[in-house]
Structure formats: C-alpha cells, structure tokens
Amino acid sequence: MKSKPLLEHADIKAIAAAAEAEALKNNWAVTIAIVDDGGHLLHLQRLDGAAPLSAHIAPAKANTAAMGRRETKVYEDMINGGRTSFLSAPYVAGLLEGGVPIVKDGHCLGAVGVSGVKSTEDAQVARAGIAAIGL
C-alpha cells in the first residue's frame, strides 16, 4: 500500500492567506477556492468587489484542476485549438485558466481556483497561494 501526502487545515489557511495577499497587493477583486484531491470544496473566499459569478467559477476551476491533475489552462488551450468536442466531457465545468493543482512528490493534493480578473492573473493568485506551502 502506498502513502501520499494530504492537505491539512493549516495548509489550507496558509494557501488562502497567501492567495488573498497576492490579490490585495494587486488590487484584484477575486474569489479564491481551494479543493481536495477529489475536487471537494475546502475553502471559498469572495473578496470585496468580486463579481457574484466568480463564486461559482473559482470552485469549478479548482475542481477541474484537481480532477484532471493539471492546470485548467491546458483545457482552455485545447478548446481554443479546435478540440471543441471536449466541451461535452462529463463533470468538467472550469475550463478557463486560473485552476492550478497542488502537487507534491507526484501526488495531486488538491487545487486552487481563482476567478475575477484576467485568467493569467487568476492563475498568478493561485500559484502565489500554493507557493506559501513550499510547492
């Protein structure tokens, strides 16, 4: 039987705080979602001024990144490249850049999804959060 690392509550708090700090530093009104490796929501924070819709998009991005074990930009690029049939994939809703998996020792521990600004900036906020736990 194999062992794998798991996110702990302290990790979630550290990721959330660092992601929020990155967003605030840049004056970006975003929603930040953190999920476990099964895509289950562990944290959701909608910063002041973030659009209500972002509270639905951020968890979808995080879920897709965790379940797919890759950044959601991969899916966005695939669809933009002409593979529109991927839009019919089951259980996949967050197909925009801004979902980033949390990976340690080759294991996906979960993901961070961010929505509210340009997709590259969403991903920047997600990566800043993940960096807070040394990954």
Side-chain angles (χ1 to χ4, degrees):
M1 186 176 299
K2 293 183 180 183
S3 297
K4 74 176 233 180
L6 298 171
L7 292 173
E8 295 180 339
H9 185 68
D11 299 321
I12 303 302
K13 288 171 53 175
I15 292 168
E20 177 183 4
E22 180 70 14
L24 293 175
K25 175 180 85 173
N26 290 289
N27 294 312
W28 292 336
V30 299
T31 295
I32 301 159
I34 304 171
V35 301
D36 66 12
D37 61 338
H40 304 99
L41 189 62
L42 300 173
H43 175 87
L44 181 69
Q45 180 179 13
R46 187 172 137 214
L47 299 180
D48 292 342
L53 184 59
S54 68
H56 294 278
I57 297 172
K61 289 180 179 183
N63 180 280
T64 298
M67 298 293 286
R69 308 311 201 231
R70 61 187 59 161
E71 291 200 27
T72 53
K73 183 177 185 339
V74 171
Y75 301 114
E76 181 177 4
D77 289 346
M78 185 186 316
I79 293 162
N80 288 341
R83 191 164 179 212
T84 56
S85 62
F86 195 78
L87 291 168
S88 66
Y91 306 108
V92 181
L95 299 172
L96 303 169
E97 183 176 6
V100 180
I102 304 166
V103 179
K104 180 178 172 126
D105 301 330
H107 297 282
C108 180
L109 312 181
V112 179
V114 178
S115 178
V117 286
K118 294 178 187 174
S119 59
T120 55
E121 296 166 347
D122 289 342
Q124 178 181 328
V125 172
R127 286 190 198 98
I130 295 167
I133 59 169
L135 300 177

mmCIF file of all heavy atoms in Angstrom, residues 76-107:
data_model
loop_
_atom_site.group_PDB
_atom_site.id
_atom_site.type_symbol
_atom_site.label_atom_id
_atom_site.label_comp_id
_atom_site.label_asym_id
_atom_site.label_seq_id
_atom_site.Cartn_x
_atom_site.Cartn_y
_atom_site.Cartn_z
ATOM 1 N N GLU A 76 -8.343 24.977 -21.647
ATOM 2 C CA GLU A 76 -8.692 26.173 -22.411
ATOM 3 C C GLU A 76 -7.940 26.185 -23.735
ATOM 4 O O GLU A 76 -8.524 26.440 -24.796
ATOM 5 C CB GLU A 76 -8.386 27.437 -21.604
ATOM 6 C CG GLU A 76 -8.753 28.712 -22.332
ATOM 7 C CD GLU A 76 -8.510 29.974 -21.517
ATOM 8 O OE1 GLU A 76 -7.984 29.896 -20.387
ATOM 9 O OE2 GLU A 76 -8.860 31.049 -22.024
ATOM 10 N N ASP A 77 -6.643 25.885 -23.693
ATOM 11 C CA ASP A 77 -5.834 25.867 -24.907
ATOM 12 C C ASP A 77 -6.309 24.780 -25.876
ATOM 13 O O ASP A 77 -6.339 24.990 -27.095
ATOM 14 C CB ASP A 77 -4.358 25.655 -24.576
ATOM 15 C CG ASP A 77 -3.710 26.856 -23.903
ATOM 16 O OD1 ASP A 77 -4.317 27.956 -23.914
ATOM 17 O OD2 ASP A 77 -2.607 26.688 -23.346
ATOM 18 N N MET A 78 -6.695 23.635 -25.334
ATOM 19 C CA MET A 78 -7.176 22.531 -26.156
ATOM 20 C C MET A 78 -8.441 22.947 -26.928
ATOM 21 O O MET A 78 -8.564 22.722 -28.137
ATOM 22 C CB MET A 78 -7.496 21.332 -25.253
ATOM 23 C CG MET A 78 -7.892 20.080 -25.976
ATOM 24 S SD MET A 78 -8.424 18.750 -24.845
ATOM 25 C CE MET A 78 -7.212 18.782 -23.559
ATOM 26 N N ILE A 79 -9.347 23.574 -26.219
ATOM 27 C CA ILE A 79 -10.607 24.010 -26.837
ATOM 28 C C ILE A 79 -10.351 25.132 -27.838
ATOM 29 O O ILE A 79 -10.864 25.114 -28.956
ATOM 30 C CB ILE A 79 -11.612 24.430 -25.752
ATOM 31 C CG1 ILE A 79 -12.028 23.202 -24.935
ATOM 32 C CG2 ILE A 79 -12.830 25.114 -26.364
ATOM 33 C CD1 ILE A 79 -12.659 23.516 -23.607
ATOM 34 N N ASN A 80 -9.517 26.100 -27.436
ATOM 35 C CA ASN A 80 -9.187 27.200 -28.349
ATOM 36 C C ASN A 80 -8.446 26.706 -29.587
ATOM 37 O O ASN A 80 -8.506 27.332 -30.643
ATOM 38 C CB ASN A 80 -8.360 28.273 -27.645
ATOM 39 C CG ASN A 80 -9.189 29.066 -26.658
ATOM 40 O OD1 ASN A 80 -10.409 29.087 -26.725
ATOM 41 N ND2 ASN A 80 -8.515 29.722 -25.720
ATOM 42 N N GLY A 81 -7.765 25.569 -29.453
ATOM 43 C CA GLY A 81 -7.047 24.977 -30.578
ATOM 44 C C GLY A 81 -7.946 24.198 -31.523
ATOM 45 O O GLY A 81 -7.473 23.623 -32.499
ATOM 46 N N GLY A 82 -9.229 24.139 -31.211
ATOM 47 C CA GLY A 82 -10.165 23.497 -32.119
ATOM 48 C C GLY A 82 -10.817 22.225 -31.610
ATOM 49 O O GLY A 82 -11.723 21.693 -32.239
ATOM 50 N N ARG A 83 -10.361 21.709 -30.491
ATOM 51 C CA ARG A 83 -10.956 20.472 -29.966
ATOM 52 C C ARG A 83 -12.189 20.808 -29.117
ATOM 53 O O ARG A 83 -12.226 20.577 -27.907
ATOM 54 C CB ARG A 83 -9.942 19.700 -29.150
ATOM 55 C CG ARG A 83 -10.435 18.322 -28.818
ATOM 56 C CD ARG A 83 -9.340 17.420 -28.351
ATOM 57 N NE ARG A 83 -9.904 16.114 -28.039
ATOM 58 C CZ ARG A 83 -9.449 15.322 -27.123
ATOM 59 N NH1 ARG A 83 -8.376 15.665 -26.433
ATOM 60 N NH2 ARG A 83 -10.014 14.167 -26.897
ATOM 61 N N THR A 84 -13.184 21.359 -29.771
ATOM 62 C CA THR A 84 -14.390 21.805 -29.072
ATOM 63 C C THR A 84 -15.215 20.639 -28.538
ATOM 64 O O THR A 84 -16.043 20.844 -27.657
ATOM 65 C CB THR A 84 -15.255 22.680 -29.990
ATOM 66 O OG1 THR A 84 -15.562 21.947 -31.178
ATOM 67 C CG2 THR A 84 -14.532 23.969 -30.337
ATOM 68 N N SER A 85 -14.992 19.441 -29.036
ATOM 69 C CA SER A 85 -15.728 18.285 -28.515
ATOM 70 C C SER A 85 -15.447 18.063 -27.035
ATOM 71 O O SER A 85 -16.250 17.457 -26.332
ATOM 72 C CB SER A 85 -15.384 17.019 -29.309
ATOM 73 O OG SER A 85 -14.009 16.713 -29.176
ATOM 74 N N PHE A 86 -14.327 18.597 -26.542
ATOM 75 C CA PHE A 86 -14.008 18.444 -25.114
ATOM 76 C C PHE A 86 -15.023 19.157 -24.231
ATOM 77 O O PHE A 86 -15.175 18.827 -23.059
ATOM 78 C CB PHE A 86 -12.589 18.945 -24.815
ATOM 79 C CG PHE A 86 -12.084 18.485 -23.481
ATOM 80 C CD1 PHE A 86 -11.616 17.202 -23.314
ATOM 81 C CD2 PHE A 86 -12.115 19.324 -22.381
ATOM 82 C CE1 PHE A 86 -11.178 16.752 -22.077
ATOM 83 C CE2 PHE A 86 -11.678 18.892 -21.144
ATOM 84 C CZ PHE A 86 -11.210 17.600 -20.990
ATOM 85 N N LEU A 87 -15.749 20.108 -24.791
ATOM 86 C CA LEU A 87 -16.781 20.809 -24.025
ATOM 87 C C LEU A 87 -17.879 19.862 -23.545
ATOM 88 O O LEU A 87 -18.612 20.183 -22.617
ATOM 89 C CB LEU A 87 -17.394 21.938 -24.865
ATOM 90 C CG LEU A 87 -16.468 23.108 -25.135
ATOM 91 C CD1 LEU A 87 -17.048 24.015 -26.212
ATOM 92 C CD2 LEU A 87 -16.195 23.882 -23.861
ATOM 93 N N SER A 88 -17.986 18.695 -24.145
ATOM 94 C CA SER A 88 -19.012 17.727 -23.742
ATOM 95 C C SER A 88 -18.510 16.733 -22.694
ATOM 96 O O SER A 88 -19.263 15.844 -22.286
ATOM 97 C CB SER A 88 -19.527 16.959 -24.968
ATOM 98 O OG SER A 88 -18.483 16.150 -25.508
ATOM 99 N N ALA A 89 -17.280 16.873 -22.230
ATOM 100 C CA ALA A 89 -16.737 15.957 -21.215
ATOM 101 C C ALA A 89 -17.568 16.051 -19.931
ATOM 102 O O ALA A 89 -17.910 17.153 -19.489
ATOM 103 C CB ALA A 89 -15.279 16.293 -20.924
ATOM 104 N N PRO A 90 -17.906 14.915 -19.333
ATOM 105 C CA PRO A 90 -18.743 14.950 -18.122
ATOM 106 C C PRO A 90 -17.990 15.495 -16.909
ATOM 107 O O PRO A 90 -16.778 15.311 -16.790
ATOM 108 C CB PRO A 90 -19.115 13.485 -17.909
ATOM 109 C CG PRO A 90 -18.021 12.711 -18.564
ATOM 110 C CD PRO A 90 -17.557 13.558 -19.734
ATOM 111 N N TYR A 91 -18.716 16.179 -16.047
ATOM 112 C CA TYR A 91 -18.211 16.680 -14.767
ATOM 113 C C TYR A 91 -17.100 17.716 -14.897
ATOM 114 O O TYR A 91 -16.345 17.925 -13.959
ATOM 115 C CB TYR A 91 -17.744 15.541 -13.865
ATOM 116 C CG TYR A 91 -18.774 14.482 -13.655
ATOM 117 C CD1 TYR A 91 -18.650 13.232 -14.247
ATOM 118 C CD2 TYR A 91 -19.903 14.741 -12.885
ATOM 119 C CE1 TYR A 91 -19.622 12.269 -14.067
ATOM 120 C CE2 TYR A 91 -20.880 13.781 -12.706
ATOM 121 C CZ TYR A 91 -20.737 12.546 -13.298
ATOM 122 O OH TYR A 91 -21.701 11.592 -13.124
ATOM 123 N N VAL A 92 -16.971 18.325 -16.046
ATOM 124 C CA VAL A 92 -15.917 19.306 -16.255
ATOM 125 C C VAL A 92 -16.572 20.642 -16.569
ATOM 126 O O VAL A 92 -17.238 20.792 -17.583
ATOM 127 C CB VAL A 92 -14.968 18.894 -17.406
ATOM 128 C CG1 VAL A 92 -13.874 19.918 -17.587
ATOM 129 C CG2 VAL A 92 -14.374 17.518 -17.134
ATOM 130 N N ALA A 93 -16.386 21.611 -15.691
ATOM 131 C CA ALA A 93 -17.026 22.907 -15.894
ATOM 132 C C ALA A 93 -16.017 24.052 -15.930
ATOM 133 O O ALA A 93 -16.242 25.036 -16.602
ATOM 134 C CB ALA A 93 -18.055 23.164 -14.790
ATOM 135 N N GLY A 94 -14.925 23.953 -15.205
ATOM 136 C CA GLY A 94 -13.963 25.053 -15.109
ATOM 137 C C GLY A 94 -12.876 24.937 -16.143
ATOM 138 O O GLY A 94 -11.757 24.529 -15.844
ATOM 139 N N LEU A 95 -13.191 25.298 -17.374
ATOM 140 C CA LEU A 95 -12.259 25.117 -18.479
ATOM 141 C C LEU A 95 -11.515 26.382 -18.859
ATOM 142 O O LEU A 95 -11.048 26.519 -19.975
ATOM 143 C CB LEU A 95 -13.022 24.567 -19.693
ATOM 144 C CG LEU A 95 -13.670 23.214 -19.453
ATOM 145 C CD1 LEU A 95 -14.554 22.841 -20.632
ATOM 146 C CD2 LEU A 95 -12.623 22.147 -19.208
ATOM 147 N N LEU A 96 -11.397 27.310 -17.925
ATOM 148 C CA LEU A 96 -10.684 28.558 -18.152
ATOM 149 C C LEU A 96 -9.425 28.584 -17.288
ATOM 150 O O LEU A 96 -9.399 28.017 -16.194
ATOM 151 C CB LEU A 96 -11.565 29.750 -17.761
ATOM 152 C CG LEU A 96 -12.918 29.846 -18.452
ATOM 153 C CD1 LEU A 96 -13.775 30.893 -17.766
ATOM 154 C CD2 LEU A 96 -12.724 30.162 -19.917
ATOM 155 N N GLU A 97 -8.391 29.252 -17.759
ATOM 156 C CA GLU A 97 -7.163 29.372 -16.976
ATOM 157 C C GLU A 97 -7.476 29.990 -15.614
ATOM 158 O O GLU A 97 -8.327 30.863 -15.499
ATOM 159 C CB GLU A 97 -6.157 30.252 -17.714
ATOM 160 C CG GLU A 97 -4.834 30.369 -16.994
ATOM 161 C CD GLU A 97 -3.797 31.172 -17.763
ATOM 162 O OE1 GLU A 97 -4.127 31.738 -18.810
ATOM 163 O OE2 GLU A 97 -2.653 31.233 -17.276
ATOM 164 N N GLY A 98 -6.787 29.500 -14.585
ATOM 165 C CA GLY A 98 -6.991 30.003 -13.229
ATOM 166 C C GLY A 98 -7.171 28.897 -12.217
ATOM 167 O O GLY A 98 -7.280 29.151 -11.026
ATOM 168 N N GLY A 99 -7.180 27.649 -12.683
ATOM 169 C CA GLY A 99 -7.207 26.492 -11.795
ATOM 170 C C GLY A 99 -5.838 25.833 -11.812
ATOM 171 O O GLY A 99 -5.323 25.489 -12.884
ATOM 172 N N VAL A 100 -5.221 25.678 -10.632
ATOM 173 C CA VAL A 100 -3.865 25.154 -10.549
ATOM 174 C C VAL A 100 -3.834 24.014 -9.532
ATOM 175 O O VAL A 100 -4.220 24.200 -8.374
ATOM 176 C CB VAL A 100 -2.863 26.254 -10.123
ATOM 177 C CG1 VAL A 100 -1.453 25.704 -10.040
ATOM 178 C CG2 VAL A 100 -2.938 27.439 -11.079
ATOM 179 N N PRO A 101 -3.375 22.817 -9.948
ATOM 180 C CA PRO A 101 -3.310 21.707 -8.998
ATOM 181 C C PRO A 101 -2.196 21.915 -7.971
ATOM 182 O O PRO A 101 -1.195 22.569 -8.248
ATOM 183 C CB PRO A 101 -3.031 20.491 -9.883
ATOM 184 C CG PRO A 101 -2.355 21.040 -11.082
ATOM 185 C CD PRO A 101 -2.897 22.440 -11.273
ATOM 186 N N ILE A 102 -2.397 21.343 -6.809
ATOM 187 C CA ILE A 102 -1.390 21.350 -5.747
ATOM 188 C C ILE A 102 -0.733 19.980 -5.791
ATOM 189 O O ILE A 102 -1.372 18.966 -5.482
ATOM 190 C CB ILE A 102 -2.038 21.597 -4.369
ATOM 191 C CG1 ILE A 102 -2.847 22.896 -4.376
ATOM 192 C CG2 ILE A 102 -0.974 21.602 -3.269
ATOM 193 C CD1 ILE A 102 -3.775 23.051 -3.181
ATOM 194 N N VAL A 103 0.533 19.939 -6.195
ATOM 195 C CA VAL A 103 1.212 18.663 -6.421
ATOM 196 C C VAL A 103 2.448 18.566 -5.532
ATOM 197 O O VAL A 103 3.247 19.508 -5.455
ATOM 198 C CB VAL A 103 1.621 18.512 -7.906
ATOM 199 C CG1 VAL A 103 2.346 17.198 -8.131
ATOM 200 C CG2 VAL A 103 0.395 18.621 -8.807
ATOM 201 N N LYS A 104 2.585 17.419 -4.876
ATOM 202 C CA LYS A 104 3.773 17.144 -4.054
ATOM 203 C C LYS A 104 4.195 15.707 -4.303
ATOM 204 O O LYS A 104 3.381 14.787 -4.218
ATOM 205 C CB LYS A 104 3.474 17.359 -2.577
ATOM 206 C CG LYS A 104 4.678 17.082 -1.693
ATOM 207 C CD LYS A 104 4.415 17.344 -0.244
ATOM 208 C CE LYS A 104 5.605 16.847 0.539
ATOM 209 N NZ LYS A 104 6.178 17.816 1.403
ATOM 210 N N ASP A 105 5.457 15.523 -4.621
ATOM 211 C CA ASP A 105 6.016 14.191 -4.865
ATOM 212 C C ASP A 105 5.194 13.396 -5.876
ATOM 213 O O ASP A 105 4.984 12.190 -5.726
ATOM 214 C CB ASP A 105 6.137 13.408 -3.554
ATOM 215 C CG ASP A 105 7.014 14.091 -2.515
ATOM 216 O OD1 ASP A 105 7.960 14.807 -2.914
ATOM 217 O OD2 ASP A 105 6.752 13.919 -1.310
ATOM 218 N N GLY A 106 4.702 14.090 -6.894
ATOM 219 C CA GLY A 106 3.939 13.438 -7.941
ATOM 220 C C GLY A 106 2.488 13.148 -7.600
ATOM 221 O O GLY A 106 1.763 12.589 -8.412
ATOM 222 N N HIS A 107 2.045 13.527 -6.414
ATOM 223 C CA HIS A 107 0.665 13.305 -5.985
ATOM 224 C C HIS A 107 -0.102 14.623 -6.010
ATOM 225 O O HIS A 107 0.383 15.635 -5.497
ATOM 226 C CB HIS A 107 0.615 12.760 -4.548
ATOM 227 C CG HIS A 107 1.258 11.435 -4.391
ATOM 228 N ND1 HIS A 107 0.641 10.268 -4.767
ATOM 229 C CD2 HIS A 107 2.463 11.077 -3.892
ATOM 230 C CE1 HIS A 107 1.439 9.249 -4.502
ATOM 231 N NE2 HIS A 107 2.557 9.717 -3.970
#
